[in-house]
Amino acid sequence: MPSPVASVHQPSPPNAAAHSHGTQSAPEADKEKKLSVLESHGYFLGKTIGTGSYATVRVAHSERHEGSVAIKIVSKFSAPADYLKKFLPREIQVVKGLRHPNLIRFLQAIETTHRVYIVMEYAENGSLLDIIRKDQVIDESRARRWFRQLVDAVEYCHERGVVHRDIKCENLLMDAEWRIKLSDFGFARGHVRSKNGQPSLSETYCGSYAYASPEILRGIPYQPEYADVWSMGVVLFAMVYGRLPFDDSNYKELIKQVSNKVSFPKDPKISSTCKSLINKILAPLKSRIRISGIRGDAWYTFEPVPGII
């Protein structure tokens, strides 16, 4: 399912941003009736770029931002109660405090009786999944560049106590300069450190099976930062091989696969250093590499010598 392709300004609180029906003169009131809630905020809807069971994402022209934005439109009638009461407010709260070149920027939230509108940066070049489907595989040079951007984004979040918990190719969007933008913080959680500094465990088992760490699949309380790292390894594998490392069509088989060493396809031919890094990420929790280790890895730090292939 496509994710919001979405840029953060001074965010407005959800309720404060809602359409106001203050005291108006009759002509003003008549004019206001003719405008939709979004139009009254300067947003003019365009094509649909993503659909889900209770949310739609559409491109819109923004007068304020002088260009295109993406708007996630959540129906209060279709969305589950726990999503509206727990996950959606948490998503808005989390993204309001984040600003990084490799994160989709939150712009504004508007709430009405029937809907919640989340206005975001528009990433016009689609998702990483779209690119993999088109190109089949991503060469290691491009994969390295995009993986570094993903690491930057995730480390930035983790340093601020935010875990994403749904890192996957569909949620990695591309802006006009073909830079990675991590999006969709619908399962994100803040304040992951407890008061004594020890990691706070998650017990919400969210995200996609194919990208989920073994501890999530087994349903045990887990450290979400390390589950994010696992998902990043699945993304790296998907880029260089053009397919996912694990088959999520059978849950019991999936548990077996994630418990064993990664099986690498014969083609395409991938460098031993790249495979080594993937092995270090897609590893049991006790031996799984941390972000600091990834930053020091030989494949990650490799810089080709100009003029030498």
Side-chain angles (χ1 to χ4, degrees):
M1 182 183 77
S3 297
V5 191
S7 179
V8 176
H9 236 234
Q10 288 294 33
S12 306
N15 294 325
H19 183 40
S20 170
H21 293 284
T23 308
Q24 297 172 315
S25 65
E28 284 176 330
D30 288 340
K31 182 183 179 185
E32 200 73 2
K33 284 176 186 174
K34 294 174 185 175
L35 291 175
S36 72
V37 171
L38 289 176
E39 287 170 347
S40 69
H41 282 80
Y43 301 114
F44 298 89
L45 287 174
K47 67 179 181 179
T48 298
I49 53 174
T51 54
S53 50
Y54 46 84
T56 303
V57 184
R58 294 179 66 176
V59 181
H61 175 75
S62 168
E63 293 178 339
R64 175 182 165 192
H65 302 291
E66 299 179 342
S68 294
V69 297
I71 302 182
K72 181 177 181 178
I73 305 166
V74 179
S75 165
K76 289 184 176 180
F77 296 115
S78 305
D82 66 332
Y83 174 76
L84 292 172
K85 291 178 182 175
K86 179 181 177 183
F87 289 104
L88 184 59
R90 182 189 278 173
E91 175 182 0
I92 293 169
Q93 196 58 40
V94 163
V95 297
K96 278 164 66 172
L98 300 176
R99 186 189 286 254
H100 186 275
N102 298 117
L103 296 179
I104 281 296
R105 290 175 42 196
F106 167 87
L107 296 168
Q108 186 177 13
I110 302 166
E111 184 171 355
T112 68
T113 308
H114 304 308
R115 295 179 185 87
V116 179
Y117 302 94
I118 302 178
V119 185
M120 302 167 284
E121 170 187 10
Y122 174 51
E124 56 211 76
N125 282 315
S127 72
L128 177 59
L129 181 64
D130 297 330
I131 295 169
I132 293 171
R133 283 175 173 163
K134 175 177 165 286
D135 294 352
Q136 297 188 323
V137 294
I138 309 294
D139 64 85
E140 287 188 48
S141 177
R142 267 197 307 167
R144 183 183 293 107
R145 181 170 72 251
W146 287 338
F147 187 69
R148 285 173 177 170
Q149 292 171 4
L150 174 58
V151 169
D152 286 348
V154 175
E155 184 177 54
Y156 170 88
C157 292
H158 288 183
E159 285 175 345
R160 281 149 188 81
V162 173
V163 286
H164 189 277
R165 302 198 298 184
D166 195 21
I167 295 169
K168 56 185 177 180
C169 295
E170 297 94 310
N171 287 340
L172 297 173
L173 308 177
M174 294 285 170
D175 69 7
E177 280 76 46
W178 299 97
R179 286 176 303 201
I180 284 279
K181 297 274 186 173
L182 178 58
S183 75
D184 200 341
F185 281 73
F187 287 127
R189 182 182 141 201
H191 311 296
V192 294
R193 294 281 167 191
S194 58
K195 289 180 181 177
N196 61 6
Q198 293 302 308
S200 175
L201 300 181
S202 280
E203 295 185 37
T204 302
Y205 305 103
C206 41
S208 302
Y209 274 2
Y211 292 83
S213 65
E215 54 272 23
I216 289 179
L217 293 172
R218 292 194 185 99
I220 58 177
Y222 64 96
Q223 291 175 261
E225 299 101 317
Y226 305 147
D228 275 355
V229 170
W230 175 281
S231 300
M232 289 160 54
V234 176
V235 168
L236 177 54
F237 184 107
M239 282 197 284
V240 296
Y241 285 106
R243 47 155 286 190
L244 293 169
F246 310 114
D247 179 4
D248 63 354
S249 60
N250 183 302
Y251 181 74
K252 286 185 178 178
E253 286 301 314
L254 178 59
I255 289 283
K256 286 181 186 175
Q257 288 177 33
V258 299
S259 303
N260 295 325
K261 283 199 75 173
V262 185
S263 175
F264 293 104
K266 289 184 178 179
D267 290 307
K269 302 297 181 192
I270 300 301
S271 68
S272 59
T273 51
C274 184
K275 288 192 279 191
S276 172
L277 177 55
I278 291 171
N279 269 326
K280 286 185 274 188
I281 298 175
L282 301 180
L285 181 59
K286 286 183 180 178
S287 57
R288 190 176 310 155
I289 196 170
R290 310 309 190 215
I291 285 181
S292 57
I294 292 173
R295 286 197 174 281
D297 177 82
W299 183 83
Y300 185 92
T301 58
F302 177 76
E303 295 292 348
V305 178
I308 299 177
I309 298 175

